[in-house]
Amino acid sequence: MRALVTGATGIVGNNLVRALLDDGYDVRVLVRPSSDNTSLRRLPVEHWPGDILDHQTLVGVADKCSFVFHAAALFAYSGFTQDELDQIAVDGTRNVITAAAHANAERIVVTSSTVTLGSATTPAVRDERDTFEDKYPSSYTLSKVRQEKAAFEACRELGLELVVVCPGLTVGSFDYRLSPSNASIVNYLNDPMRFTFPGGCNIVSARDVAAGHIVAACHGAAGERYVVGGENLHWRDVHRMISALGGTFGPTYTLNNTSTYLAGAAAEMSARVMGKRPSVTRDEATMACHYYWYSSDAISRLGYAATPCEDALAEALAWLIHRSYLSESVVDRLTPDDRVREHLQALRGVAA
Amino acid sequence: MITCDMNNEPPSVCIRHTPGGTPDLMLEEILDASGFWTAMESVRRTQKISRDRFSIAIKPDLDVFNLALPSGTDRHLVQHLASLLRQRGYALITVIDARNTRDSWLLNREPLMVADFVGYDFSGDVYEVTGGDVSASAAQTWSDADFRINFAKNRTHESQVFALCVHNLLGVCPSNVTLSDLGSRCLGLLRESPPHFNLIDGFISFHGAAGERAPVAHKSCTLIASPDALLADVVGASKMGLDPYLSPINAKCLQALGMPSLQGIDGELTRYPMWQNVHPLVAESARKRNEVPGLGGASAAWFQTVDREHFPFREFYSDRLNSFIAPLMARMGDDPRAQWLIVLLNTLIASVGSGILAQHTLFAKGQLERQRKRIEIDLDRFGDGDYLNLPEHLALFEQHVRTGEYTSGRIQLRRLDDAALFFASHEYPIAYDEFVSRVNIGHAIQYMNDYIGGSLVTVARDDHGRTRMQAERNLYLQQPNWMVLFGGDIIDVEKIQLLDYGEDRQTIYWRTVASPNNSAENDDGRVSFIRAPNGCVRMEIFTRQKFSLPLFFQFIRIDLFPGIRDSIVETAYRNFFERTVANMQAQFDGREFRIGYERPTDLIDENSLGDIARYIATALATLSELLRTRSDIAGVGEWFAARSWTSDTRPAPVPDSDGFRHFGPTPAGTRYDSVAGQATDLARRLEEVLLDSPGVFAGLASAVQRDLEAFAEQNGGESR
């Protein structure tokens, strides 16, 4: 069977391509000519140069593909306007769906996000039945909500089967552009005070997200959304795990909503004044004080199983060290856990 | 060379200095020369115990923070001493220590753990090792031992200037002894379970301007031995070139027990060559720092040079601050700037502590910790006559104040020899018998205004089993309270007291016999509960008080301005009396009236921080982290100023084959254009940020609202 993957150079796409290859699929990847496709160079995949915003480059891209996995997205909390984010999320998704429908693909799997299911200010677990009602959503979150809406509308119009996958906070390897999810680990370790936040998140391994996509494609019901998540944890617990895996201190104090917001606002504003990319934004700070806890029960009934959060973080931490996303001064003060060391050795072995 | 006379009496103190000698042989020699074996045999024979059942406790110095350079007593010497004892048939030998339980800011500081790291033998073949506060407590083992050997290290100390035999005794105190109580604990140990013999290991000594915080090895090749711990310390301090009273712990013991005779010294008293002591300014500032509640205890972690591999820090901010401050401590000996910086830092912490203390004293007395202070006076010094003469002694002064007219309202005040004489009375509408059954006359001083702690010991009882004579240590807040702003000390006085119980009258008389902090010259008086003609109780109080004035008031000679002075004194006494009356009423009603809070006895951890201290420590840690990562102050400034838009953007010149770097001319106008362009960009970015400010404030308002809601929820109240 053949599968098309868009956004193959991102963390989800990279892991998905590898999972599909492991499962015996022939994989075609849509890659922008300007993209750095180093990560895919050694993989036995068919490269299709194109851009999801340029529908002419998508003609024939899904030919002979049973499944189309649309993982291309702009995952960023700064540096892009709402219009730019919406264009990629909405227009880009419509274009890919149109191409898939013209190629008579069996099904398209769109990568969305659990943020479209909303969040809570209390530790409440949400699932696919919940609707989005957040008061001050980030531009990225809005773009994902609009993407889903556009996807369902387009598939209904074109008669294409659609399954939407909503991953949690995805951490792990093969993240060549440092996604905000993995960056949250970097930010925590870069913080000399190792503060933590009052909210919680659902941490999931990028490998599991990839596996979840395949489960959703093969066994999911058309027109459904599936949460592909891991463990629901308080940020304090996530940070404690990171510290334990890194063999370092922390977390120290749990900031409250106000101080977290002020820290995020200060970082964002000062970066904007200096003309730099902020390490953290107000949106991220606000989100860190909410609970993004979700249940993966629906996809679990189809055969999906998440790996423990600690293992996912160990792999992510090894990746961040391996790719030098953490500065030397931070790495020098870490004493990584055995699990992190094992992942590091494996990564260095692959690199060698 | 000073030598003892040769009339077969062992020397009172023996000093051996043998450059090139081996420590073991020196130890054997000094034990023989100092009469150690004879002294031990004498004690054993007196107690009529066989050698195999004669218990011996050895207390080495185990204040070790760096295993590569252990600054405690040389473990080999202690083991050799134990072997020598064993060879002579003494079987019950225990090495003890409890000192390190205080270092709870580090991991692995349990007494047995440190002993294990240092290399003590736990097989039990030659000696046992014990320590800690639990069942086999070090203090109990020490006091129960038939023969106690105090084996100190020869070293300087940051706040005590030197740490020798008396200081080493702290290692048998339980960890719940507060820092401010160390001196009286040492004095108590010297009185109740003194060491039979004292040794100072100065083969390798540790000196240096930072004391134990950054010890520097010094090959002194010296051992000192004496049956008298104070004498051994006097000699040890002399060899360091120090006044033995410079250590507050030693000074307290010397003042209480007297200066030992220097007769019968065997050995040289010459100063160690190239020895470096702690500067008195450093020691004084460190003591002030240590006295700060919470922050003082925790700050030890920031200043101590630590072997992190064996003793990791528990708290992140301690770790961060330590990595910044400890290197400064290590440089104090050869860099005066480091020394001044440390003095400044100590003073800053002490000032913060003073500020917090003043705030609590003036506005939040409930935040002050009640103090337990042992009585330090030697009660044997006072005979029955001293107690029984109290009424007569006080009557002499009371008549001066009672003969005059009332000063104001219900109080009478007079001055006599700079002391304030005060009398007042108050009638409670309560039946006398009922009142005295609930308000204990023996505790009358504890009902007084601003009493913050102390202790009470019964000396004698009457035929009915009631306390007749007692001794009490009282601590009160500064009087008036605002004296705290001028550096006024807590009033700390020790008194002997006599109680009289009549059918219609109960009285307590007291006289101050000591003031450990010299805060009072006189604080004498009486309180009486008298049956009034209507059957109610009348409380009378008379005091004669003369408190030491803070330096500021001494400087301005407040006595030369009687109008101001009398007004201050009158207000203070009126407050004192009104609140004391209210306190006794509260005692009768069974209501709580005492100021301060009681810390549970099993939870005295001076390293634990209160909220304010924790915030300060966190802020300091942030600052030190910033300084550490930015390497210098200029770097911090540069960092804040975001040099990206001010720096020269030209590529750095690369050296040519001859090693020269070539700097090209900057084209005319380029730099100006560049700066102008950057300024325009900056203005544009600032404008964007300002335009976005409503959004920022909306988000902030939302965050504040969520915090308020969470706060209301936690407190079970309404959010608005």
Side-chain angles (χ1 to χ4, degrees):
Chain A
M1 289 223 296
R2 187 183 298 276
L4 167 70
V5 179
T6 69
T9 54
I11 181 172
V12 172
N14 245 305
N15 281 278
L16 179 56
V17 167
R18 284 167 171 77
L20 287 166
L21 289 172
D22 286 347
D23 281 1
Y25 286 86
D26 292 326
V27 179
R28 180 181 295 158
V29 292
L30 174 72
V31 185
R32 277 177 298 155
S34 58
S35 277
D36 177 6
N37 61 0
T38 315
S39 58
L40 302 169
R41 203 171 289 158
R42 291 184 186 179
L43 299 178
V45 293
E46 180 191 346
H47 289 255
W48 184 287
D51 187 334
I52 59 169
L53 293 179
D54 181 358
H55 60 87
Q56 288 187 336
T57 62
L58 301 180
V59 177
V61 69
D63 284 356
K64 298 179 185 170
C65 289
S66 306
F67 297 132
V68 173
F69 294 95
H70 177 45
L74 204 50
F75 184 17
Y77 290 99
S78 65
F80 298 94
T81 63
Q82 184 71 60
D83 286 346
E84 288 169 328
L85 289 166
D86 284 349
Q87 193 183 18
I88 301 270
V90 177
D91 299 348
T93 300
R94 279 207 184 108
N95 290 341
V96 174
I97 288 171
T98 305
H102 287 164
N104 293 321
E106 280 181 33
R107 169 172 282 194
I108 182 166
V109 179
V110 171
T111 309
S112 181
S113 167
T114 45
V115 295
T116 62
L117 306 172
S119 63
T121 53
T122 52
V125 178
R126 303 169 79 86
D127 63 21
E128 294 86 350
R129 291 166 297 183
D130 284 297
T131 52
F132 182 79
E133 292 164 352
D134 285 8
K135 207 171 170 184
Y136 299 107
S138 67
S139 301
Y140 166 72
T141 305
L142 269 184
S143 74
K144 295 307 279 186
V145 171
R146 289 168 184 168
Q147 178 195 32
E148 278 190 21
K149 188 165 177 262
F152 280 112
E153 283 172 3
C155 284
R156 204 178 305 121
E157 285 169 19
L158 298 168
L160 181 65
E161 279 191 11
L162 167 69
V163 180
V164 173
V165 169
C166 301
L169 192 83
T170 307
V171 298
S173 304
F174 308 114
D175 181 12
Y176 288 87
R177 289 197 295 262
L178 188 60
S179 67
S181 304
N182 271 337
S184 65
I185 302 173
V186 175
N187 287 338
Y188 169 68
L189 291 172
N190 277 342
D191 174 8
M193 306 309 295
R194 303 277 159 81
F195 289 131
T196 188
F197 315 114
C201 62
N202 181 293
I203 296 259
V204 60
S205 157
R207 290 178 193 274
D208 291 344
V209 171
H213 275 72
I214 298 171
V215 169
C218 298
H219 309 293
E224 287 296 326
R225 296 193 293 178
Y226 290 100
V227 171
V228 177
E231 290 178 55
N232 292 316
L233 295 167
H234 289 277
W235 274 110
R236 171 164 279 279
D237 295 324
V238 174
H239 289 154
R240 191 177 289 131
M241 280 182 196
I242 296 169
S243 285
L245 289 166
T248 183
F249 72 95
T252 55
Y253 302 127
T254 305
L255 298 178
N256 61 9
N257 289 278
T258 308
S259 48
T260 306
Y261 182 83
L262 284 173
E268 184 181 340
M269 293 301 151
S270 59
R272 281 173 67 176
V273 171
M274 297 305 159
K276 291 177 180 174
R277 189 177 172 187
S279 56
V280 66
T281 64
R282 282 173 288 156
D283 285 337
E284 285 172 284
T286 306
M287 291 171 82
C289 301
H290 280 236
Y291 285 89
Y292 289 82
W293 282 5
Y294 306 99
S295 163
S296 304
D297 285 353
I299 198 158
S300 297
R301 286 192 287 273
L302 303 179
Y304 166 81
T307 50
C309 175
E310 212 159 6
D311 292 343
L313 288 170
E315 185 180 354
L317 185 55
W319 176 258
L320 296 171
I321 295 171
H322 175 66
R323 293 287 297 177
S324 303
Y325 288 126
L326 288 164
S327 67
E328 270 182 34
S329 66
V330 171
V331 174
D332 284 349
R333 284 150 64 190
L334 298 181
T335 315
D337 185 62
D338 286 346
R339 282 167 292 181
V340 180
R341 286 177 199 274
E342 279 171 24
H343 281 296
L344 263 174
Q345 279 172 0
L347 287 168
R348 283 168 186 157
V350 169
Chain B
M1 176 93 171
I2 301 169
T3 54
C4 62
D5 55 9
M6 303 300 286
N7 58 358
N8 290 333
E9 280 294 311
S12 58
V13 61
C14 197
I15 309 154
R16 284 292 173 271
H17 170 64
T18 317
T22 65
D24 287 358
L25 285 175
M26 276 178 68
L27 178 67
E28 289 170 27
E29 189 191 333
I30 202 166
L31 291 177
D32 288 335
S34 62
F36 172 83
W37 300 112
T38 317
M40 180 175 276
E41 272 304 282
S42 168
V43 172
R44 188 183 69 78
R45 287 195 185 120
T46 307
Q47 297 183 12
K48 295 178 182 167
I49 304 171
S50 63
R51 287 188 179 187
D52 60 331
R53 301 186 65 183
F54 186 67
S55 62
I56 298 167
I58 304 174
K59 168 65 187 77
D61 184 339
L62 269 166
D63 275 5
V64 176
F65 290 91
N66 183 357
L67 295 181
L69 199 64
S71 54
T73 310
D74 183 352
R75 187 249 310 168
H76 297 288
L77 273 178
V78 178
Q79 295 196 154
H80 189 57
L81 173 62
S83 300
L84 293 172
L85 288 164
R86 192 81 174 186
Q87 283 166 19
R88 293 186 182 230
Y90 298 102
L92 298 177
I93 305 163
T94 311
V95 172
I96 61 168
D97 188 66
R99 169 71 181 85
N100 298 300
T101 46
R102 186 175 294 284
D103 309 323
S104 56
W105 39 278
L106 290 174
L107 292 168
N108 301 333
R109 291 303 290 178
E110 294 79 10
L112 297 184
M113 188 78 93
V114 177
D116 192 22
F117 277 144
V118 169
Y120 280 92
D121 180 4
F122 279 74
S123 68
D125 292 342
V126 182
Y127 55 83
E128 298 287 339
V129 183
T130 190
D133 291 343
V134 285
S135 53
S137 80
Q140 196 62 46
T141 311
W142 176 259
S143 61
D144 289 350
D146 298 317
F147 197 82
R148 295 179 286 269
I149 303 169
N150 183 14
F151 206 154
K153 189 68 181 176
N154 195 40
R155 61 186 173 94
T156 55
H157 192 278
E158 183 204 23
S159 59
Q160 298 293 327
V161 187
F162 61 85
L164 298 169
C165 293
V166 174
H167 185 273
N168 193 41
L169 287 177
L170 294 176
V172 295
C173 292
S175 61
N176 61 1
V177 179
T178 57
L179 280 173
S180 57
D181 210 21
L182 295 179
S184 68
R185 275 305 176 118
C186 277
L187 182 58
L189 278 167
L190 284 177
R191 280 180 175 148
E192 291 153 21
S193 49
H196 294 91
F197 218 86
N198 302 275
L199 293 158
I200 298 176
D201 165 24
F203 192 80
I204 299 292
S205 303
F206 285 89
H207 67 146
E212 84 285 13
R213 300 289 176 218
V216 180
H218 180 283
K219 195 165 184 187
S220 321
C221 300
T222 301
L223 294 183
I224 299 170
S226 173
D228 185 339
L230 278 175
L231 180 56
D233 279 12
V234 168
V235 168
S238 298
K239 287 192 71 69
M240 294 177 184
L242 291 170
D243 174 352
Y245 283 81
L246 271 178
S247 155
I249 292 179
N250 280 63
K252 187 179 277 288
C253 297
L254 286 167
Q255 282 155 3
L257 303 175
M259 180 73 182
S261 166
L262 288 176
Q263 289 290 318
I265 294 179
D266 177 8
E268 296 274 0
L269 273 178
T270 47
R271 188 177 169 169
Y272 302 117
M274 307 295 286
W275 184 268
Q276 189 177 29
N277 283 311
V278 175
H279 193 285
L281 205 60
V282 173
E284 173 69 10
S285 64
R287 282 196 293 273
K288 294 275 184 204
R289 184 197 75 213
N290 289 341
E291 284 167 10
V292 179
L295 210 55
S299 64
W302 312 339
F303 291 80
Q304 181 66 52
T305 307
V306 173
D307 168 1
R308 282 180 158 78
E309 191 181 334
H310 292 91
F311 306 116
F313 282 84
R314 282 183 193 276
E315 301 272 17
F316 84 101
Y317 47 76
S318 297
D319 191 330
R320 289 291 165 274
L321 282 169
N322 181 279
S323 62
F324 181 66
I325 299 172
L328 274 179
M329 295 294 283
R331 284 164 51 191
M332 274 170 64
D334 48 34
D335 188 345
R337 286 173 304 176
Q339 181 168 303
W340 285 110
L341 212 56
I342 291 297
V343 170
L344 179 69
L345 197 55
N346 287 341
T347 309
L348 278 175
I349 294 171
S351 304
V352 168
S354 305
I356 294 170
L357 183 68
Q359 191 264 337
H360 288 170
T361 302
L362 293 170
F363 308 113
K365 290 179 183 173
Q367 301 280 324
L368 294 165
E369 186 185 341
R370 292 179 194 160
Q371 302 192 30
R372 296 187 194 89
K373 295 278 185 182
R374 291 155 61 98
I375 288 174
E376 290 177 6
I377 50 170
D378 183 2
L379 293 175
D380 294 339
R381 270 175 47 209
F382 303 97
D384 286 357
D386 292 310
Y387 293 90
L388 297 172
N389 283 340
L390 287 176
E392 193 183 336
H393 168 77
L394 290 164
L396 186 70
F397 297 101
E398 190 172 342
Q399 64 188 2
H400 280 274
V401 68
R402 298 290 297 275
T403 50
E405 59 189 22
Y406 277 78
T407 310
S408 160
R410 292 170 296 173
I411 70 170
Q412 287 178 284
L413 268 170
R414 291 286 179 277
R415 295 199 74 80
L416 186 71
D417 190 21
D418 277 346
L421 303 180
F422 163 77
F423 176 83
S425 67
H426 174 80
E427 191 168 304
Y428 291 94
I430 303 167
Y432 174 82
D433 293 322
E434 204 179 342
F435 187 85
V436 296
S437 69
R438 293 201 215 168
V439 184
N440 184 348
I441 188 70
H443 294 174
I445 291 179
Q446 296 175 23
Y447 306 142
M448 288 182 182
N449 182 41
D450 285 342
Y451 174 86
I452 191 71
S455 54
L456 192 148
V457 175
T458 299
V459 176
R461 293 182 184 276
D462 65 9
D463 295 340
H464 300 283
R466 297 173 300 196
T467 301
R468 172 76 171 137
M469 298 172 192
Q470 62 185 22
E472 188 167 13
R473 184 169 178 183
N474 305 135
L475 285 90
Y476 309 93
L477 299 185
Q478 296 79 352
Q479 297 297 324
N481 289 166
W482 48 262
M483 282 286 180
V484 70
L485 298 172
F486 296 90
D489 248 340
I490 273 186
I491 296 162
D492 184 359
V493 284
E494 295 188 272
K495 298 162 175 170
I496 55 171
Q497 300 169 342
L498 177 76
L499 290 104
D500 264 348
Y501 305 92
E503 189 63 31
D504 298 320
R505 181 188 181 102
Q506 293 188 350
T507 302
I508 179 172
Y509 303 91
W510 68 87
R511 181 163 70 89
T512 292
V513 292
S515 173
N517 64 352
N518 298 316
S519 53
E521 206 171 302
N522 303 118
D523 184 7
D524 312 333
R526 75 164 172 92
V527 166
S528 300
F529 298 150
I530 302 162
R531 192 191 302 271
N534 62 0
C536 293
V537 63
R538 191 173 83 246
M539 186 269 288
E540 284 185 359
I541 181 167
F542 161 71
T543 62
R544 172 184 176 239
Q545 294 175 317
K546 187 174 177 183
F547 299 132
S548 304
L549 287 170
L551 203 58
F552 173 77
F553 286 94
Q554 289 177 31
F555 180 73
I556 63 165
R557 298 285 307 276
I558 188 79
D559 285 351
L560 300 180
F561 306 94
I564 299 172
R565 181 201 62 191
D566 292 348
S567 169
I568 292 170
V569 170
E570 191 187 316
T571 309
Y573 273 101
R574 190 181 296 118
N575 282 340
F576 162 77
F577 181 63
E578 284 172 1
R579 288 184 189 165
T580 301
V581 165
N583 287 352
M584 286 186 180
Q585 177 74 52
Q587 171 68 18
F588 176 80
D589 296 341
R591 288 180 281 115
E592 179 57 69
F593 61 88
R594 283 188 59 185
I595 59 167
Y597 70 93
E598 200 84 49
R599 198 192 286 235
T601 49
D602 56 341
L603 271 178
I604 290 188
D605 179 4
E606 296 194 37
N607 304 325
S608 67
L609 291 179
D611 281 348
I612 294 175
R614 190 177 287 275
Y615 292 144
I616 292 166
T618 306
L620 287 172
T622 309
L623 183 65
S624 73
E625 183 69 12
L626 204 60
L627 292 171
R628 197 186 67 76
T629 53
R630 300 289 156 182
S631 77
D632 57 20
I633 300 290
V636 178
E638 205 172 47
W639 182 66
F640 274 116
R643 66 182 187 145
S644 60
W645 57 277
T646 57
S647 62
D648 192 341
T649 52
R650 286 176 295 168
V654 179
D656 64 15
S657 56
D658 297 320
F660 289 101
R661 291 169 190 270
H662 301 273
F663 295 86
T666 305
T670 306
R671 182 150 182 79
Y672 172 80
D673 293 345
S674 165
V675 171
Q678 285 167 355
T680 311
D681 281 352
L682 177 67
R684 181 182 50 77
R685 290 194 294 262
L686 276 170
E687 187 185 356
E688 280 176 11
V689 167
L690 284 172
L691 287 171
D692 202 14
S693 56
V696 174
F697 287 115
L700 178 62
S702 172
V704 172
Q705 188 185 357
R706 283 201 302 278
D707 280 331
L708 289 174
E709 282 167 358
F711 179 76
E713 196 173 312
Q714 279 169 12
N715 290 282
E718 299 285 327
S719 61
R720 290 176 189 85

